[in-house]
Amino acid sequence: VQLAESGGGSVQAGGSLRLSCVASGDTLSNYCLGWFRQIPGKEREGVAVIDGDGNTKYAGSVKGRFTISQDNAKNTLYLQMNSLEPEDTAMYYCATGYGANRYPLPARLTGYGMNDWGKGTMVTISS
């Protein structure tokens, strides 16, 4: 499946952004879906994942501020980000994993079993 992220940009702390990830080549409902982020020079970090039943798992640093969702009719994954902090500055990637419910969500949040990745969209939060 091919993935294309959009919606990144530069906002001040406390602001909001909504990232989108449009998929082509297959139906997103067949996959576990996730958002990940990476700061240059640092390891990739799982942000949020969602399985085929709509169950979600968030990184502790974003829980209560970010919401992952999907629109199967549009074959699109979203990440609503509120109360943004400078520490949220990173390149954000969406990813899919074969088998919507194959692995536990905590494992998926590490990137385990996530097979296809987008090219990313940059989010910059200023203080």
Side-chain angles (χ1 to χ4, degrees):
V1 60
Q2 292 77 48
L3 305 170
E5 302 95 336
S6 63
S10 298
V11 298
Q12 289 190 327
S16 299
L17 284 172
R18 188 176 79 157
L19 306 184
S20 299
C21 174
V22 178
S24 58
D26 203 347
T27 303
L28 280 183
S29 59
N30 296 330
Y31 298 85
C32 177
L33 311 173
W35 286 97
F36 298 80
R37 65 188 182 186
Q38 189 169 23
I39 300 169
K42 294 192 175 183
E43 290 190 359
R44 184 185 64 203
E45 174 190 25
V47 175
V49 289
I50 184 168
D51 69 12
D53 294 327
N55 299 307
T56 58
K57 176 72 174 175
Y58 295 90
S61 59
V62 307
K63 195 172 184 179
R65 301 189 296 123
F66 291 12
T67 302
I68 187 172
S69 63
Q70 65 188 98
D71 185 332
N72 290 334
K74 295 182 178 180
N75 220 30
T76 301
L77 176 70
Y78 299 101
L79 184 68
Q80 178 67 44
M81 305 187 295
N82 299 328
S83 301
L84 284 161
E85 303 169 352
E87 293 74 22
D88 296 317
T89 295
M91 184 71 81
Y92 283 71
Y93 301 89
C94 64
T96 61
Y98 301 136
N101 299 320
R102 180 174 296 177
Y103 303 117
L105 287 178
R108 294 285 199 179
L109 195 59
T110 70
Y112 182 82
M114 304 304 279
N115 308 105
D116 294 315
W117 297 78
K119 294 183 177 180
T121 185
M122 187 67 199
V123 172
T124 303
I125 312 301
S126 58
S127 58

